[in-house]
Amino acid sequence: MATTDFTLIRHGQTTENIEGRLQGHFDSRLDETGLIQAEAAAVRLAGEQFDVIYSSDLQRARKTAEIIAAKLKMDVIPMRELREWHLGELENRLCKELWAEYPEIMNCFRCENDDVPVPGGESHREFDKRIADWEAPGSENPAGYARRSHAFHLQTRCGMRRENLSSSADQQCILQPFLQA
């Protein structure tokens, strides 16, 4: 049975990250710090060998991947299927405001309830299925690929549930904006 090695890379920082906004499919751009972070990732990955680089088609993900790909002298294949969790009416809104309006949905970020519907978006189960379908055997992914991704995708694919993160710094980086009530 053939194996596929892949590297997951989270996009660089956006203004929305700093403001504590849920982004989902909202097409935000990297801020100055995010561009520096993408450059640092490119330097770190400069000696790696990949067959292909896939990215979400959202700007923050695509730009991170393009910076890395330029260092590796590769192209990026943007994929709509790799977008972050579609959060519908919650997108580009402050988490602290959403806690008052949608406590059940916001609490699902803590308890990971896969079936809580998101108005105008997708449940976590639907999101997970979308990603899993793309990664399924026979989906034509090459043996070695890098994929630039989003926080919830990384959580889902890597088993990075809150209680399993290796350090409080990991929790801060990935989950903190969503866990504050």
Side-chain angles (χ1 to χ4, degrees):
M1 179 176 188
T3 61
T4 299
D5 295 323
F6 62 94
T7 301
L8 294 174
I9 304 149
R10 184 172 183 215
H11 62 77
Q13 178 179 287
T14 66
T15 300
E16 290 77 8
N17 291 135
I18 297 303
E19 293 173 348
R21 292 181 181 275
L22 288 184
Q23 293 173 87
H25 285 198
F26 179 74
D27 204 11
S28 57
R29 297 175 185 263
L30 297 179
D31 64 15
E32 186 176 329
T33 298
L35 292 169
I36 292 168
Q37 291 168 336
E39 286 290 342
V43 168
R44 163 63 182 83
L45 295 170
E48 300 292 327
Q49 295 293 315
F50 299 105
D51 297 313
V52 66
I53 298 175
Y54 292 108
S55 171
S56 159
D57 64 346
L58 296 172
Q59 292 180 68
R60 60 192 184 269
R62 192 177 66 243
K63 183 65 174 176
T64 301
E66 288 169 351
I67 290 169
I68 294 166
K71 188 77 155 177
L72 299 172
K73 297 179 176 34
M74 296 179 69
D75 293 321
V76 174
I77 301 172
M79 306 285 297
R80 183 175 177 83
E81 298 88 345
L82 296 179
R83 284 185 172 195
E84 173 66 285
W85 185 359
H86 184 20
L87 298 171
E89 295 175 17
L90 282 65
E91 291 178 356
N92 199 30
R93 298 204 35 215
L94 293 171
C95 291
K96 62 184 174 187
E97 293 171 1
L98 293 170
W99 275 102
E101 193 173 339
Y102 297 102
E104 181 183 15
I105 294 171
M106 295 303 289
N107 198 49
C108 88
F109 296 128
R110 287 183 174 161
C111 65
E112 299 165 357
N113 184 337
D114 288 341
D115 292 316
V116 173
V118 177
E122 61 190 345
S123 70
H124 192 270
R125 185 178 312 279
E126 291 166 330
F127 164 66
D128 192 41
K129 182 180 182 326
R130 172 169 48 88
I131 300 300
D133 287 350
W134 183 82
E135 293 177 336
S139 63
E140 308 277 335
N141 293 325
Y145 63 97
R147 182 174 60 228
R148 206 292 338 126
S149 197
H150 302 275
F152 282 109
H153 178 107
L154 294 173
Q155 253 186 277
T156 300
R157 300 297 0 122
C158 297
M160 291 178 13
R161 301 297 191 179
R162 184 176 185 202
E163 65 275 7
N164 294 332
L165 291 172
S166 62
S167 71
S168 61
D170 291 338
Q171 290 183 26
Q172 288 283 71
C173 175
I174 296 178
L175 301 175
Q176 195 59 35
F178 312 106
L179 299 179
Q180 296 172 346

